[in-house]
Amino acid sequence: MEEKGAENGVAAMAACYQGFDPAAYLQNNYTPPRADFERKDCVVLWKLACLHRAFTEGDVSGELLVDIGSGPTLYQVLSGCEVFNKVLLTDFLEVNRQELRSWLQDEGGCSLDWTPYLQHVCKLEGRRPSAWTEKAARLRQVIVDIVPIDVHRPQPLAHDALPSAGADCLVSCFCLESASPDLASFTRALGHIGRLLRPGGHLLLIGTLGMSYYFGGAGVKIPTVPVNEAQLCASLKESGYNLIRLEVYTLPQDMKLGVDDAYGVFFVKAMKE
Ligand code: SAH
């Protein structure tokens, strides 16, 4: 009975995602005020700073970085692409994989210009902003593929998508809580993606705090599981991760836009046992 309920919840989420609109999602979350490069306190600059720090501390290393639930975005791999020689992007929806392919092929048709993001991460790395073209070339060179994923499956990727040793690092932003109907399925999804990671490999997880819905397009209201810091820590532990660092960002009032009801954003650095 319980299992059937969980399956129905997951199926209902998948149905909601059929209305997801990459362009509208990018507009809501990756343009001002949430992405205002003149404003130090905006959420996007906080995320980029967390990722920059995590990827340059020295302990996160290896050959293969996998981004879980990439969506239509690239900001989450702009630091990691300098550390890893291979980056695998993944998403549940073909429309999002197509958006990423448009950028990769560099033939126009992208819904968002990633140039200011590339420039900003160059600055974080102590390079001149004009080095952004080199970073874009590096990212295009290291992306090995863009593949389907379902975090609710015990094996989220196709069986031949990864080498048998697993990934050296996972990054995942706003995917698990946005794709899970309840806390139990969020925790299970954390466990599923952990199976893609080698023991001793790192998980860099970004997500929303207290979010019960967000808009994935005009009129596309997606119900999500609200997670708090204590629940997040318990879920990580239960799924076999050791927490290294948890950072929390509280959304300023003027960044609450009605496109979701989150009160904040978390950043987690953890290691698989
Ligand atoms: N990582 C991006 C996108 C997050 S939006 C960012 O940082 O903004 C949530 C993403 O979860 C969407 O791209 C959606 O397609 C994906 N998603 C939805 N259901 C999923 C599932 N069952 N498995 C994996 N990803 C899923």
Side-chain angles (χ1 to χ4, degrees), residues 17 20-22 25 70-73 91-101 146:
Y17 270 98
F20 190 89
D21 174 357
Y25 176 78
S70 305
T73 71
D91 200 68
F92 185 64
L93 295 176
E94 170 58 18
V95 281
N96 285 333
R97 299 192 299 271
Q98 186 50 48
E99 178 70 33
L100 297 172
R101 280 196 291 270
I146 302 166

Side-chain angles (χ1 to χ4, degrees), residues 10 13-14 17 20 25-26 29-30 47 67-76 90-96 114 148-153 156 172-180 193 206 214 222:
V10 163
M13 297 253 19
Y17 270 98
F20 190 89
Y25 176 78
L26 289 166
N29 294 291
Y30 296 100
K47 291 190 271 186
D67 179 25
I68 305 291
S70 305
T73 71
L74 288 161
Y75 72 91
Q76 66 277 19
T90 70
D91 200 68
F92 185 64
L93 295 176
E94 170 58 18
V95 281
N96 285 333
W114 293 102
I149 187 162
D150 184 351
V151 296
H152 298 306
R153 291 177 189 263
S172 185
C173 305
F174 306 103
C175 174
L176 300 188
E177 76 284 8
S178 307
S180 299
I193 65 167
I206 293 183
Y214 80 101
I222 302 178

Side-chain angles (χ1 to χ4, degrees), residues 33-70:
R34 290 188 169 181
D36 181 344
F37 290 87
E38 304 302 315
R39 243 184 94 170
K40 283 203 169 66
D41 69 338
C42 81
V43 60
V44 161
L45 292 200
W46 182 83
K47 291 190 271 186
L48 291 175
C50 288
L51 289 163
H52 168 72
R53 176 179 171 194
F55 279 112
T56 51
E57 278 174 318
D59 55 341
V60 174
S61 63
E63 189 63 15
L64 175 62
L65 169 66
V66 179
D67 179 25
I68 305 291
S70 305

